[in-house]
Amino acid sequence: MIQQTVEDFNNYFQDKVDKIRSGFNGNQESTTEHNLPSCTLTTFEPTTIEEVKEILKDIEIKSSTNDPLPATIVKENLDILVPHLCTIVNLSLSSGSMEGAKLAH
């Protein structure tokens, strides 16, 4: 179930990027560097709930009217959501899979 949640989370943002890109003129040049050296993540310190809370308290959470979860609901329920976000981040890092990032370029 957690793996599916991670995949759904990744797909949600992949779809957002695809929607944004589809609205641009196809003749525009990409400014993204595609020849990046590969690197391997061999170890990492899992993030903590406190660390995620600290990051989220310092940023403005925004959403569009198309988002299934409005920013106001996210802000009002951070204490409930942060442990789950922490789990998703740690599972994404530990799996080493960045398929969504590869497709989003």
Side-chain angles (χ1 to χ4, degrees):
M1 179 171 154
I2 295 294
Q3 182 64 32
Q4 184 61 48
T5 302
V6 170
E7 290 175 20
D8 290 347
F9 185 76
N10 185 46
N11 290 338
Y12 171 77
F13 287 103
Q14 167 98 28
D15 292 344
K16 268 184 130 21
V17 169
D18 290 344
K19 261 190 205 176
I20 291 168
R21 286 194 174 150
S22 71
F24 289 112
N25 181 346
N27 296 329
Q28 294 176 337
E29 287 186 35
S30 173
T31 58
T32 305
E33 178 60 47
H34 296 287
N35 297 321
L36 299 174
S38 64
C39 60
T40 304
L41 178 64
T42 56
T43 61
F44 73 96
E45 292 282 326
T47 191
T48 63
I49 291 171
E50 293 75 27
E51 198 172 30
V52 174
K53 279 183 185 178
E54 186 68 25
I55 291 167
L56 292 177
K57 82 171 185 139
D58 292 337
I59 64 170
E60 184 177 350
I61 300 172
K62 297 180 182 180
S63 66
S64 78
T65 55
N66 294 331
D67 286 337
L69 192 60
T72 53
I73 292 176
V74 173
K75 289 176 192 175
E76 292 169 1
N77 294 285
L78 274 179
D79 287 337
I80 296 168
L81 296 172
V82 166
H84 302 287
L85 293 172
C86 185
T87 299
I88 290 170
V89 169
N90 286 330
L91 286 170
S92 295
L93 290 172
S94 66
S95 73
S97 175
M98 294 298 291
E99 291 303 314
K102 289 178 188 175
L103 297 172
H105 65 67

